[in-house]
Amino acid sequence: MSQEIVPLKSLEAVLSWQSSSQTELARSSVELSHSFSRCRDTPKTLVCHDMAGGYLNDRFVGGCDGSGYRFYHWQYLDMFIYFSHHLVTIPPPCWTNTAHRHGVQVLGTFITEWNDGKQVCSEFLQSSRDYRSLANKMVEIMKYYGFDGWLINIENVIEEDKVSHLREFVAYLTQRCHSEMTGSKVIWYDSVTRSGELKWQDQLNEENKMFFDACDGIFLNYNWDETKLQNSYNIAGTKRVHDVFVGVDVFGRGCPGGGGYNSCECSQAMTKIRQANLSAAIFAQGWVYETLGAENFTKNEDRFWQLLHDYCSSSTFTSPLLCTSFCQGEGQKYFCKGEVAKDRPWYNLSLQQVQPTFNIQGQRSEGKNLELTTSDGYMGGGCLLLRGEVRREKEKLWFNLFQFDAPVSTVLYVTFTSKGVPDNIKPVLSLTLSKGGNSRVLCLGEEEAEEVVRKKLRTTVEEVWISPHEQDSRFNSWQNRNKWKTRCFRLEERLVCGWNLQGLSVGISADDKEQNIVCLYLGQIQILTEPPSSPSSSVQNLTCSCLKQEERDPGGDNLYSLQWEDAGYRYVQYYNVYQMAGDSVLVGQTLTPSCVLSLNSSCGSELCVQTVRRDGVVIPLTDCPSCHLPD
């Protein structure tokens, strides 16, 4: 059992909301990353996630056994809206955590609908005091849970004498969000007009512009045409044209193109939107999972976003630092340092690692393929599987993974962990750098006997081969199991300082001339400014208490609250909690120094907290603190 996040279903529930020990664990803990950038002068893309009413397996704060929908094409998004048909939709922290890790903002939803919605609006729009009280509480909720703003979706008639108050509510909410959280957003959905009529315009025009002017953008309804797009462009003006998000309903309800894969085809919705130089709001992208099922989800999801690739600007890293095991936040097993720590399906999007910024589908062609596999892994629920056919001796198959625009000003330590099939696979990690009109390609591998070998490819292009660095004892202390191997490299200042990191790729080849099918499991990549830290735990004051009888799991197990302090918390990626008996059993995972677990004491009375650090170091269980379950 894991604590759950729930929406607020009534105006009374919103206005009376207070933080408590019950809500503490449901807060997101990952701040919005500023290590990603997108072109400022290009249209934006948001996703509005509406799936089966929301709050499915993603509602469990600490994750759960089983599976669920996951999103991993973050490089295409500027915003992610979590949507449901409850009055106030608070995004589950797993979505905020993983979106923030990828530099994507997350918005909650405020929605009123039909007759019940009309009554709610009549109440909170009675006076400026009423709508300001609501807005203040919404800002408080946003700050507490750590998301980045609101979608305002009013789908009911507004009494004419209250329309001005509605506009003022939107303006006041926007102003308060901005003052309390830099960069926060409030988006208005195209539904109610300036007269209070419920009449979708499918465009920005004088009927809804008063709300657009009061906030950060408008989400247009789906029944638009090219004329309405041009009207929207003209009304918005050049300074705010990219604040107009044109709705694309992936289920095809009235949307040009008919929805589904058609919503992405060149002749359909996205083409028209981008030709008008407007932003896009993709509604219910989980259509792939809902209608086509989970069995071939990755293949279908990659196909969907491949069709969108040319219409979405991709993010780039603006920092040279990187640490990822490619886990997507679920798996058939949980792997820790190459060993199986949990041998059953699990789902926890908070544990999703940074995903490649290059188009995965674009790495697939005749003779080579790149995909996520959950059959094996180094850390988390899976790893990348690179495979293909080598047709010529010493030929390498190259796979592009990350694009950067990151200045380098210090020595870099690079590690990558992999295993090949067959064992003689020779992986090479390639970093491309630029300075002025010159390029430098650093090839990190084992093919050259000397430490550094330079090759001039062209007048402006230099290739530098670098052998593994084995001098640092902390590198040598790393242990790899089940044929996983970690290679470690030190990139001296003379090679990287003053240069701009542009891209990261991986190449594979084989020694055996008879072996033309090569396969590499890529478990982890790190780019650090210092060697991985020594594996010692900084967890202190670990305590466990049993929650009172009425809060116990109806299944019969006891609920326990586990808390601790961590002097090095800012370096922590997440924690694994084990119940120790004859064997160690993984029973929980959390991003913060606390969790609530449903446990049976007959399975072991001792709990152990293991730290997984941001630099990839995993503290050995023998060095981790433990405590006993209370009697």
Side-chain angles (χ1 to χ4, degrees):
M1 177 177 175
S2 174
Q3 185 158 349
E4 299 179 25
I5 182 76
V6 295
L8 302 175
K9 300 180 180 181
S10 69
L11 189 59
E12 180 184 3
V14 179
L15 294 173
S16 63
W17 178 89
Q18 295 290 333
S19 61
S20 67
S21 60
Q22 297 298 309
T23 62
E24 185 70 23
L25 294 180
R27 304 171 71 180
S28 64
S29 56
V30 178
E31 294 183 359
L32 182 65
S33 172
H34 297 291
S35 296
F36 296 86
S37 71
R38 291 172 180 81
C39 296
R40 292 185 179 181
D41 297 328
T42 57
K44 296 188 282 285
T45 303
L46 70 76
V47 150
C48 189
H49 180 54
D50 175 30
M51 175 175 282
Y55 299 98
L56 306 176
N57 276 351
D58 55 4
R59 74 186 187 275
F60 296 108
V61 174
C64 63
D65 290 344
S67 61
Y69 173 77
R70 66 191 188 277
F71 184 82
Y72 54 94
H73 291 280
W74 296 104
Q75 71 269 32
Y76 298 126
L77 297 194
D78 298 275
M79 277 184 276
F80 179 93
I81 299 173
Y82 195 82
F83 184 91
S84 78
H85 288 276
H86 303 293
L87 181 63
V88 165
T89 301
I90 301 170
C94 64
W95 284 110
T96 305
N97 287 331
T98 189
H100 279 184
R101 196 172 285 125
H102 291 87
V104 174
Q105 292 184 303
V106 176
L107 275 59
T109 302
F110 177 83
I111 185 172
T112 61
E113 299 177 283
W114 317 119
N115 290 333
D116 289 344
K118 180 180 179 181
Q119 179 60 37
V120 169
C121 290
S122 180
E123 290 182 38
F124 83 83
L125 295 175
Q126 283 284 348
S127 68
S128 61
R129 178 180 178 181
D130 291 320
Y131 70 69
R132 287 185 176 217
S133 295
L134 174 60
N136 289 337
K137 187 61 72 171
M138 289 172 65
V139 172
E140 184 182 348
I141 291 169
M142 174 192 73
K143 286 186 63 181
Y144 181 82
Y145 286 105
F147 56 97
D148 308 290
W150 295 97
L151 170 69
I152 307 300
N153 187 357
I154 307 297
E155 296 202 61
N156 48 259
V157 173
I158 299 294
E159 297 165 70
E160 191 171 355
D161 63 338
K162 292 184 172 63
V163 174
S164 62
H165 279 178
L166 178 59
R167 191 264 176 205
E168 291 162 11
F169 162 71
V170 175
Y172 180 74
L173 175 65
T174 304
Q175 178 267 318
R176 290 282 291 114
C177 284
H178 290 178
S179 65
E180 293 294 324
M181 182 181 292
T182 301
S184 56
K185 303 292 183 190
V186 175
I187 305 295
W188 172 262
Y189 179 63
D190 157 36
S191 49
V192 172
T193 67
R194 59 184 175 180
S195 65
E197 184 180 9
L198 178 60
K199 187 175 182 181
W200 297 269
Q201 300 299 298
D202 309 304
Q203 62 182 312
L204 176 63
N205 60 18
E206 293 302 328
E207 292 298 316
N208 53 30
K209 187 175 182 292
M210 62 183 287
F211 300 108
F212 174 72
D213 290 340
C215 64
D216 298 300
I218 187 169
F219 182 149
L220 297 184
N221 192 49
Y222 313 102
N223 301 322
W224 43 267
D225 55 32
E226 291 177 71
T227 300
K228 290 181 177 180
L229 295 183
Q230 186 61 51
N231 292 342
S232 300
Y233 179 90
N234 295 338
I235 292 288
T238 55
K239 290 185 178 181
R240 295 204 63 193
V241 64
H242 295 153
D243 295 335
V244 178
F245 293 85
V246 182
V248 178
D249 186 343
V250 182
F251 277 87
R253 294 161 287 203
C255 183
Y261 290 121
N262 287 334
S263 65
C264 312
E265 289 182 354
C266 294
S267 61
Q268 305 299 330
M270 291 299 292
T271 303
K272 299 178 187 297
I273 293 169
R274 296 315 195 204
Q275 286 175 345
N277 196 26
L278 298 173
S279 295
I282 300 169
F283 183 77
Q285 86 296 341
W287 169 88
V288 176
Y289 190 91
E290 285 192 71
T291 62
L292 302 180
E295 184 177 354
N296 295 308
F297 168 69
T298 300
K299 178 181 177 182
N300 293 328
E301 180 81 343
D302 287 349
R303 177 190 171 194
F304 181 89
W305 287 95
Q306 167 68 16
L307 292 169
L308 279 174
H309 172 74
D310 291 338
Y311 306 101
C312 302
S313 62
S314 296
S315 62
T316 59
F317 277 97
T318 56
S319 167
L321 305 184
L322 172 68
C323 181
T324 181
S325 66
F326 307 102
C327 173
Q328 292 185 356
E330 75 163 14
Q332 297 304 304
K333 303 175 181 180
Y334 174 80
F335 301 92
C336 185
K337 298 280 284 188
E339 294 190 318
V340 176
K342 185 174 185 177
D343 194 8
R344 62 180 183 271
W346 62 276
Y347 177 83
N348 187 347
L349 294 178
S350 283
L351 301 188
Q352 184 176 118
Q353 301 293 290
V354 172
Q355 297 298 302
T357 53
F358 272 100
N359 177 17
I360 290 291
Q361 184 76 11
Q363 307 298 309
R364 298 169 185 160
S365 62
E366 183 180 357
K368 74 172 188 178
N369 186 67
L370 170 63
E371 62 184 359
L372 178 90
T373 179
T374 57
S375 65
D376 204 343
Y378 184 68
M379 284 297 303
C383 63
L384 292 185
L385 177 58
L386 292 63
R387 58 187 171 185
E389 181 179 0
V390 178
R391 297 185 177 90
R392 295 183 297 276
E393 186 178 354
K394 294 186 177 181
E395 178 188 14
K396 285 186 175 60
L397 298 178
W398 287 100
F399 298 84
N400 299 321
L401 298 183
F402 296 99
Q403 50 190 347
F404 292 82
D405 185 13
V408 182
S409 59
T410 184
V411 62
L412 296 178
Y413 293 87
V414 180
T415 78
F416 67 94
T417 302
S418 65
K419 65 177 172 180
V421 179
D423 294 341
N424 65 348
I425 294 294
K426 286 191 172 181
V428 176
L429 190 148
S430 172
L431 299 178
T432 301
L433 302 103
S434 66
K435 181 166 65 174
N438 297 316
S439 295
R440 175 174 286 171
V441 181
L442 304 183
C443 298
L444 316 183
E446 300 178 352
E447 295 193 359
E448 302 292 342
E450 300 179 30
E451 184 179 351
V452 176
V453 176
R454 295 174 180 266
K455 298 178 181 178
K456 202 73 172 179
L457 301 183
R458 294 187 297 276
T459 304
T460 60
V461 180
E462 179 186 39
E463 185 180 86
V464 182
W465 282 84
I466 302 174
S467 295
H469 172 77
E470 302 293 353
Q471 296 178 7
D472 195 292
S473 61
R474 285 173 290 186
F475 281 157
N476 292 327
S477 68
W478 285 30
Q479 296 182 14
N480 296 281
R481 300 175 178 88
N482 296 326
K483 297 185 178 181
W484 289 97
K485 180 177 181 180
T486 298
R487 297 165 177 84
C488 311
F489 304 84
R490 175 186 168 98
L491 308 185
E492 303 290 350
E493 292 182 358
R494 59 187 172 82
L495 290 175
V496 295
C497 283
W499 290 75
N500 214 53
L501 181 60
Q502 296 289 299
L504 184 153
S505 304
V506 172
I508 55 176
S509 62
D511 273 345
D512 190 347
K513 296 180 181 179
E514 303 300 320
Q515 180 68 41
N516 62 348
I517 301 298
V518 292
C519 175
L520 184 79
Y521 292 88
L522 186 60
Q524 189 175 68
I525 288 178
Q526 299 178 103
I527 305 177
L528 310 168
T529 55
E530 57 185 31
S533 58
S534 299
S536 59
S537 178
S538 55
V539 170
Q540 302 172 348
N541 301 324
L542 176 61
T543 61
C544 182
S545 60
C546 188
L547 297 180
K548 54 188 178 181
Q549 182 70 37
E550 56 266 29
E551 293 178 336
R552 293 185 180 183
D553 185 351
D557 294 343
N558 287 335
L559 280 185
Y560 295 94
S561 174
L562 194 62
Q563 297 182 326
W564 58 93
E565 298 174 2
D566 193 336
Y569 177 57
R570 61 188 293 240
Y571 302 107
V572 173
Q573 190 174 164
Y574 59 89
Y575 301 93
N576 293 326
V577 181
Y578 289 87
Q579 189 170 14
M580 313 296 285
D583 296 317
S584 55
V585 178
L586 183 65
V587 292
Q589 294 173 294
T590 176
L591 272 63
T592 58
S594 61
C595 63
V596 173
L597 299 171
S598 176
L599 301 172
N600 190 319
S601 58
S602 65
C603 298
S605 62
E606 185 181 7
L607 297 179
C608 186
V609 174
Q610 179 185 59
T611 305
V612 179
R613 295 174 64 90
R614 291 185 180 181
D615 60 5
V617 170
V618 181
I619 309 302
L621 277 176
T622 52
D623 297 333
C624 295
S626 63
C627 67
H628 285 85
L629 296 175
D631 296 330

